[in-house]
């Protein structure tokens, strides 16, 4: 029997949120440093307003909802679902005040797209955006998707109670590197910062080689490294990576996108000396398989139409976009309108499937995740074997993911539930987009991009798109990031409160 | 003489690539139609990337569509202002060949400029601090600190009277 909600349930959720709301305020100080460095003093008040509102909200939540009641799984999931809405809404205040978007709705879209690592943008003029606001957009992706806001809070606040473990799961980061959750979260940050530095060096070197001045190369490199590792896809340029017209910047992006799409556990194992794990891991094998299959098919399709005839062009356009889609990053080297008006439907559909599948579980990627797809495929093979063998035969299955994991029906069911939820949301999102007058293939592409937190766009996402579609995509980005279950629990929580009320 | 002017006018009107400046949107949305044709494109310079004797100049039109232009280094050197937060970039008009997927440049969508004209000089943009807004933000920050401190004091007072229950 499901017990009715009590005021204490709300207090537990609100109190745990208060600390993260404070943290958002503290983290907004970082773009102020960037603003001072680049002499953008006129932007600083916008950040101060964001910081002040975050602190006021945090103080009110902390004061009125303070409780010592221990968090349960339902609280953790609802808290994770809510904080992934509240944090972007607060962080988007400076974006809105700086007139980077035409409305607060658009700024909120930008905030959610940033935090969830999606990369779809409604900023009206990226090329004239202040560097500090641009840094904020990229930093949100690194913080939200590259690391995870709850991971950051655990690492800084050092909370060790059970609630932390639960909140961690609510954020869809079920990483079990070390027994201590604080230690694990600090390792995740360590891995992220290490790859951020490597990515910045790669992008900067490629940028200088491409002809950028060193200052621009460092700034662009840092930001693209943040969003590349976070598989977020925001860019400091409206043309995304096409701006640079350089293959080495695209190679740097491919390296950092693939790194970001790999599992944290795998990073830890490889960095800890288990180098062979990268060859044995099922997820890595599935990733390579999909990259090869989609890469070959999309290239063949584009070659057939004689759109890109040279090997270099096929690599820089076809292979690059397959990697960008599969890793759920969203960097582009063709204009959005080329995807809508020039690329063939088959390529667009293949990229849509690639985006829906996404990268590795417990990585910065979105989508259904390669681990689940691998598990579902293996369990299908297991079921076929079971049907072919005599009744008395025992069919066992396993897969290698850091350790050898037995393939049980429970594991397969868990993967199937998430995959089915994604497909339902994808269908609903695509239908809503079609209802707004867009073609089916473009609607499928844009919906899978939003739901899987990718950011590739055919141009549907723009400041002029209908508000209802903006809200739909905001919901899809949010639900996709939290792997849907937390959203269902939140909806259940609300229905329970409405039906049975909230007791003392 | 009149007839010559009339003929020139008709010729110019019938040659859209020469006379009519194409918008970025038209070029991008109908890229196949313009492929390998001579076009005229006008936009603000948002980036200059030198490449030996040549350079990439990225132009942003007034609708927010950007296209890369491949031109001589000499042309690019004439650009004084590049558009960013603090600058309005030079406005340039190029006449050149449009490529939907340039074979020379790894499939990039670009324009190879035959003619590169700076039609308007850019300038610095005034980004002075909005003082009333700055004062308001500082006041709001002060209110935030006051609320945090005030609520902290109330909580401390209450805890003295009624300690937190342990569950």
């Amino acid at each position: 029997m499901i017990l009715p909600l009590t005021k204490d349930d709300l207090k537990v959720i609100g109190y745990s949120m208060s600390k993260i709301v404070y943290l958002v305020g503290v983290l907004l100080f970082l773009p102020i440093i960037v603003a001072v460095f680049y002499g953008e003093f006129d932007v600083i008040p916008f950040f101060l307003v964001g910081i002040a509102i975050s602190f006021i909200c945090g103080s009110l939540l902390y004061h009125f909802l303070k409780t010592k009641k221990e968090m349960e799984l339902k609280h953790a999931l609802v808290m994770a679902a809510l904080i992934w809405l509240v944090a972007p809404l607060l962080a988007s205040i400076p974006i809105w005040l700086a007139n980077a978007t035409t409305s607060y709705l658009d700024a909120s879209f930008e905030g959610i797209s940033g935090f969830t690592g999606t990369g779809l943008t409604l900023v009206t003029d990226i090329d004239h955006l202040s560097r500090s606001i641009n840094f904020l957009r990229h930093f949100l992706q690194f913080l939200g998707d590259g690391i995870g806001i709850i991971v950051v809070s655990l690492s800084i606040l050092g909370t060790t109670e059970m609630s932390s473990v639960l909140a961690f799961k609510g954020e869809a980061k079920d990483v079990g590197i070390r027994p201590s959750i604080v230690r694990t979260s600090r390792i995740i940050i360590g891995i992220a910062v290490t790859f951020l530095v490597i990515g910045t060096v790669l992008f900067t070197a490629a940028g200088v080689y491409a002809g950028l001045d060193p200052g621009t190369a460092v700034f662009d490199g840092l930001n693209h490294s943040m969003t590349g590792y976070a598989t977020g896809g925001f860019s400091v340029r409206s043309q995304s990576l096409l701006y640079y017209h350089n293959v080495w910047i695209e190679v740097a992006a491919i390296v950092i996108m693939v790194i970001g799409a790999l599992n944290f556990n795998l990073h830890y194992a490889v960095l800890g000396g288990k180098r062979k794990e990268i060859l044995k891991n099922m997820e890595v094998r599935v990733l390579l398989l999909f990259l090869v299959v989609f890469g070959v098919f999309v290239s063949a399709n584009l070659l057939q139409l004689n759109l890109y005839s040279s090997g270099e062009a096929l690599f820089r356009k076809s292979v690059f976009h397959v990697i960008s889609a599969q890793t759920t990053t969203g960097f582009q080297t063709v204009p959005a309108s080329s995807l809508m008006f020039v690329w063939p439907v088959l390529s667009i559909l293949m990229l849509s499937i690639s985006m829906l599948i996404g990268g590795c579980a417990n990585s910065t990627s979105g989508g259904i995740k390669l681990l689940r797809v691998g598990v579902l495929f293996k369990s299908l093979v297991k079921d076929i074997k079971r049907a072919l063998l005599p009744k008395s035969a025992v069919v066992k299955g396993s897969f290698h993911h850091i350790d050898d994991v037995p393939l049980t029906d429970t594991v397969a069911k868990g993967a199937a539930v998430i995959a089915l939820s994604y497909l339902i949301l994808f269908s609903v999102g695509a239908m809503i987009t079609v209802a707004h007058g867009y073609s089916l293939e473009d609607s499928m592409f844009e919906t899978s991009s939003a739901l899987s937190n990718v950011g590739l766009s055919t141009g549907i996402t723009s400041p002029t798109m209908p508000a209802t579609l903006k809200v739909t995509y905001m919901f899809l980005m949010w639900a996709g990031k939290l792997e849907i279950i937390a959203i269902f629990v939140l909806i259940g929580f609300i229905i329970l409160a409405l039906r049975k009320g909230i007791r003392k | 003489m009149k007839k010559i002017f009339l003929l020139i006018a008709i010729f110019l009107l019938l040659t859209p690539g020469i006379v009519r400046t194409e918008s970025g949107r038209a070029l991008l949305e109908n890229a196949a139609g313009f492929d390998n044709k001579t076009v005229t494109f006008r936009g603000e310079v948002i980036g200059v990337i030198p490449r030996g004797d040549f350079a990439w100049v990225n132009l942003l039109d007034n609708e927010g569509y950007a296209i890369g232009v491949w031109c001589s280094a000499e042309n690019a050197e004439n650009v004084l202002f590049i558009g960013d937060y603090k600058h309005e970039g030079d406005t340039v008009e190029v006449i050149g060949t449009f490529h939907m997927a340039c074979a020379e440049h790894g499939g990039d969508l670009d324009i190879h400029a035959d003619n590169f004209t700076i039609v308007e000089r850019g300038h610095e943009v005034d980004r002075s601090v909005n003082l009333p807004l700055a004062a308001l933000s500082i006041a709001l920050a002060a209110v935030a600190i006051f609320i945090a401190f005030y609520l902290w004091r109330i909580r401390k007072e209450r805890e003295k009277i009624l300690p937190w229950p342990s569950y």
Side-chain angles (χ1 to χ4, degrees):
Chain A
M1 195 185 87
I2 300 172
L3 294 172
L5 297 176
T6 64
K7 277 191 176 173
D8 274 340
D9 287 322
L10 300 184
K11 279 189 169 185
V12 171
I13 295 162
Y15 179 59
S16 55
M17 280 173 64
S18 69
K19 294 170 187 174
I20 303 177
V21 169
Y22 270 130
L23 189 65
V24 171
V26 172
L27 292 168
L28 281 176
F29 276 103
L30 220 62
I32 292 183
I33 297 170
V34 177
V36 171
F37 184 79
Y38 287 108
E40 296 169 346
F41 299 104
D42 56 311
V43 188
I44 294 174
F46 308 141
F47 293 113
L48 284 178
V49 172
I51 291 166
I53 292 174
S54 301
F55 280 176
I56 291 170
C57 293
S59 298
L60 294 174
L61 284 172
Y62 189 88
H63 179 76
F64 290 108
L65 302 176
K66 189 173 185 331
T67 177
K68 283 192 173 177
K69 189 175 167 17
E70 192 52 66
M71 185 183 259
E72 296 167 25
L73 182 62
K74 62 180 178 183
H75 303 131
L77 291 171
V78 172
M79 188 278 274
L82 287 175
I83 202 67
W84 275 84
L85 265 187
V86 172
L89 293 182
L90 290 169
S92 58
I93 292 170
I95 297 173
W96 173 54
L97 292 175
N99 280 328
T101 55
T102 49
S103 65
Y104 183 66
L105 177 69
D106 288 13
S108 307
F109 184 102
E110 196 73 10
I112 290 176
S113 179
F115 253 96
T116 57
T118 306
L120 292 170
T121 183
L122 292 183
V123 167
T124 48
D125 189 359
I126 291 176
D127 300 294
H128 292 93
L129 208 56
S130 70
R131 288 193 161 186
S132 47
I133 291 286
N134 233 333
F135 173 82
L136 172 65
R137 294 170 66 236
H138 293 74
F139 181 60
L140 289 184
Q141 290 207 322
F142 184 67
L143 186 73
D145 197 33
I147 302 173
I149 185 72
I150 295 174
V151 171
V152 176
S153 76
L154 288 176
S155 174
I156 293 173
L157 304 172
T159 322
T160 52
E161 68 244 27
M162 189 59 194
S163 58
S164 320
V165 184
L166 297 169
F168 211 54
K169 287 179 191 289
E171 198 176 48
K173 272 199 168 61
D174 196 0
V175 186
I177 294 170
R178 306 290 297 175
S180 155
I181 202 76
V182 176
R183 178 111 179 86
T184 300
S185 51
R186 285 179 185 161
I187 286 170
I188 290 175
I189 293 176
I191 290 170
V193 172
T194 304
F195 287 124
L196 173 67
V197 173
I198 292 170
T200 306
V201 171
L202 285 177
F203 272 115
T204 305
V208 170
Y209 179 75
L212 295 178
D213 66 88
T216 307
V218 171
F219 181 77
D220 290 15
L222 171 68
N223 285 297
H224 286 139
S225 182
M226 282 197 282
T227 54
Y229 174 74
T231 61
F234 271 159
S235 173
V236 289
R237 309 289 175 182
S238 62
Q239 293 158 285
S240 192
L241 299 192
L242 175 62
Y243 174 93
Y244 306 100
H245 306 277
N246 182 269
V247 67
W248 294 111
I249 287 182
E250 290 156 24
V251 169
I254 287 173
V255 171
I256 204 74
M257 287 191 290
V258 172
I259 287 172
L262 295 176
N263 196 303
F264 287 118
N265 293 300
L266 180 69
H267 283 309
Y268 187 71
V270 173
L271 293 173
K274 285 185 182 176
R275 298 221 167 85
K276 285 186 179 168
E277 180 59 33
I278 203 150
L279 300 172
K280 288 194 287 180
N281 194 287
M282 183 186 73
E283 265 191 311
V284 178
R285 289 179 176 184
V286 178
L287 173 65
L288 286 175
L289 176 76
F290 279 125
L291 288 181
V292 170
V293 169
F294 287 122
V296 167
F297 274 95
V298 174
S299 299
N301 188 220
L302 295 173
L303 197 60
Q304 186 192 11
L305 295 171
N306 210 18
L307 190 56
Y308 304 109
S309 46
S310 71
E312 188 198 345
L314 281 174
F315 172 76
R316 292 181 60 189
K317 305 302 166 191
S318 164
V319 175
F320 183 89
H321 284 93
V322 166
I323 294 172
S324 184
Q326 189 73 59
T327 59
T328 73
T329 308
F331 285 145
Q332 292 193 210
T333 58
V334 297
S337 50
S338 287
L339 291 179
M340 188 184 261
F341 297 103
V342 178
W343 279 42
V345 174
L346 187 62
S347 292
I348 295 297
L349 290 180
M350 278 192 275
L351 287 183
S352 304
I353 297 168
S354 170
M355 288 192 282
L356 264 184
I357 294 167
C360 295
N362 298 322
S363 70
T364 66
S365 292
I368 293 169
K369 304 283 164 60
L370 294 161
L371 184 66
R372 295 196 182 101
V373 174
V375 163
L376 287 174
F377 182 74
K378 281 218 162 201
S379 63
L380 177 70
V381 173
K382 194 179 151 187
D383 282 353
I384 293 169
K385 271 187 193 170
R386 199 181 280 162
L388 292 175
L389 289 168
K391 259 189 180 178
S392 55
V394 178
V395 182
K396 282 188 178 175
S398 68
F399 59 92
H400 185 83
H401 179 59
I402 312 298
D403 295 309
D404 285 327
V405 185
L407 181 61
T408 61
D409 287 346
T410 315
V411 172
K413 188 189 137 205
V417 167
I418 300 283
L420 184 68
S421 308
Y422 263 94
L423 292 175
I424 291 170
L425 275 186
F426 168 70
S427 310
V428 173
M431 279 192 282
I432 292 173
T433 313
V434 168
H436 282 84
Y438 297 99
S439 72
L440 180 63
E441 68 270 17
D442 291 333
S443 302
M444 286 169 74
F445 188 92
E446 208 80 1
T447 303
S448 51
S449 181
L451 180 63
S452 295
N453 307 123
V454 184
L456 285 173
S457 177
T458 57
I460 291 177
T461 303
S462 74
T464 53
M465 78 175 178
T468 43
L469 206 50
K470 288 176 188 171
V471 174
T472 304
Y473 286 173
M474 283 162 82
F475 175 78
L476 290 177
M477 292 189 280
W478 176 57
K481 177 64 202 167
L482 292 168
E483 296 192 338
I484 301 162
I485 296 299
I487 311 295
F488 287 158
V489 175
L490 174 65
I491 293 168
F493 213 78
I494 294 167
I495 292 171
L496 197 63
L498 291 173
R499 282 183 60 189
K500 297 190 177 177
I502 297 165
R503 298 187 185 169
K504 274 202 171 182
Chain B
M1 199 64 176
K2 264 185 179 178
K3 279 182 182 173
I4 293 170
F5 276 120
L6 191 68
L7 279 173
I8 291 171
I10 291 167
F11 174 72
L12 292 175
L13 282 169
L14 292 175
T15 322
I18 297 172
V19 173
R20 209 176 69 203
T21 305
E22 299 298 343
S23 70
R25 184 180 185 155
L27 289 171
L28 293 172
E29 292 188 356
N30 187 25
F34 286 105
D35 197 24
N36 289 319
K37 291 197 175 136
T38 301
V39 297
T40 304
F41 180 63
R42 183 188 282 218
E44 179 197 349
V45 177
I46 51 165
V48 175
I49 307 172
R51 295 278 162 86
D53 292 339
F54 294 89
W56 282 107
V57 175
N58 288 304
L59 298 182
L60 179 76
D61 77 357
N62 51 15
E63 282 184 296
Y65 292 89
I67 297 179
V69 173
W70 180 246
C71 62
S72 71
E74 205 180 313
N75 282 330
E77 279 163 14
N78 290 328
V79 173
L80 293 182
F81 290 93
I82 299 170
D84 59 20
Y85 183 62
K86 292 181 175 176
H87 301 93
E88 186 76 40
D90 291 346
T91 302
V92 167
E93 186 173 275
V94 290
I95 300 170
T97 312
F98 176 83
H99 299 108
M100 180 172 67
C102 179
E104 193 186 329
H105 295 116
D108 284 356
L109 183 145
D110 64 18
I111 296 171
H112 287 207
D114 298 321
N115 194 306
F116 186 100
T117 317
I118 294 171
V119 291
E120 196 182 331
R121 274 288 167 217
H123 54 86
E124 284 193 12
V125 178
D126 179 31
R127 298 287 185 189
S128 51
V129 179
N130 182 335
L131 286 175
L133 185 73
L136 189 74
S137 67
I138 291 166
L140 199 61
V143 169
I145 293 166
F146 172 77
I147 288 175
F149 181 71
Y150 179 71
L151 294 177
W152 175 78
R153 276 205 56 186
I154 290 177
R155 202 169 53 243
K156 284 286 160 197
E157 294 282 319
R158 262 197 215 157
E159 278 175 22
K160 271 186 205 166
I161 304 163
L162 192 71
W164 282 104
S166 59
Y167 287 90

